[in-house]
Every structure is written in C-alpha cells, then in structure tokens.
Amino acid sequence: ARRTLILARDCPEAKSSRDVASLEADVVARGGIPTRPRVRDFDPGDELGTGNFSRIMHAVFTPTGAAYAVKAIEKEAVKNLERRHKNIHNEIKMERRVLAKLQHPNIVKLYSTFSDVATLY
C-alpha cells in the first residue's frame, strides 16, 4: 500500500509541545508516522512521477520501515509560478484539505504534511 505526504501545519488539537510529543509517540507506536515528520526520517527511493512544480518519490520511513509516496513541492518553483498563477497557494492548500478528508480505495491517503527550508512535503 502506498501512502502520501503533502504540506505542513501545526496540529491544532495539541496545546503544548508535550502534547505534540505524546501524540507523535502514540502515532509511531501504532505503526504510523509522527504528526511532524522530518526529511531525515525518510530514506528516499526512486522517483515515481513529476508535475508542473512537484515530484513524487518512493521513500521509506526509517523508524518503522513503512513505504510511502512523498510529494515534494519546491518553494522556489511555487514562487516563480505565482507570477503567472496568482491562486497557486490556495490550490496547494485546497489539495491538502481535500486529500485529508478523502477516504477511497483508489485515492492515496494523506498521512501527514511537513516542510523544510526549501520544500513542502
């Protein structure tokens, strides 16, 4: 089964960093990924596909060995595209919201989102 990651936001249910740490530990213990994974938590694999400003690659979450499809969106590419496509930020956020709500066997499940300095995942 493939899993997908997309963009990052703080967990609204968590009131403190202790709550977040507890939640992350619980998710990992159940075989999932933490609410805020980091790039270094994944072992990247082959590229699965590309889009206008993103690429999808196979990656293994090293703490559990679970395989995921990771979508990487370069922030610089989004910034460049913004000149021609003013709603690009809204579309990225909308994709995240829609995938978070969908549950269908033919649509990848969104497990988590995160970012680093240059990339949204």
Side-chain angles (χ1 to χ4, degrees):
R2 287 205 173 127
R3 300 163 182 152
T4 300
L5 306 170
I6 301 187
L7 308 166
R9 295 283 178 250
D10 289 336
C11 178
E13 293 83 15
K15 304 295 184 226
S16 70
S17 60
R18 180 177 288 187
D19 291 341
V20 172
S22 174
L23 179 60
E24 288 177 351
D26 186 45
V27 170
V28 171
R30 294 173 191 250
I33 60 171
T35 55
R36 285 191 253 166
R38 298 167 301 243
V39 174
R40 66 177 179 256
D41 294 335
F42 293 90
D43 183 20
D46 295 333
E47 187 173 274
L48 301 174
T50 59
N52 287 332
F53 54 90
S54 65
R55 58 192 163 85
I56 293 92
M57 65 201 111
H58 177 266
V60 174
F61 184 59
T62 52
T64 64
Y68 292 89
V70 178
K71 182 174 186 176
I73 302 172
E74 300 298 325
K75 292 178 183 179
E76 189 65 31
V78 172
K79 186 177 177 181
N80 292 336
L81 189 59
E82 188 176 26
R83 290 182 222 142
R84 292 177 286 142
H85 186 29
K86 300 292 183 199
N87 287 331
I88 191 67
H89 292 283
N90 290 335
E91 288 188 17
I92 292 170
K93 290 175 186 176
M94 182 174 59
E95 178 182 12
R96 179 180 165 260
R97 284 192 306 268
V98 169
L99 284 175
K101 291 180 180 183
L102 286 175
Q103 290 186 357
H104 190 277
N106 295 332
I107 298 174
V108 294
K109 179 178 167 114
L110 173 63
Y111 284 87
S112 186
T113 61
F114 60 101
S115 67
D116 62 19
V117 173
T119 310
L120 303 169
Y121 298 94

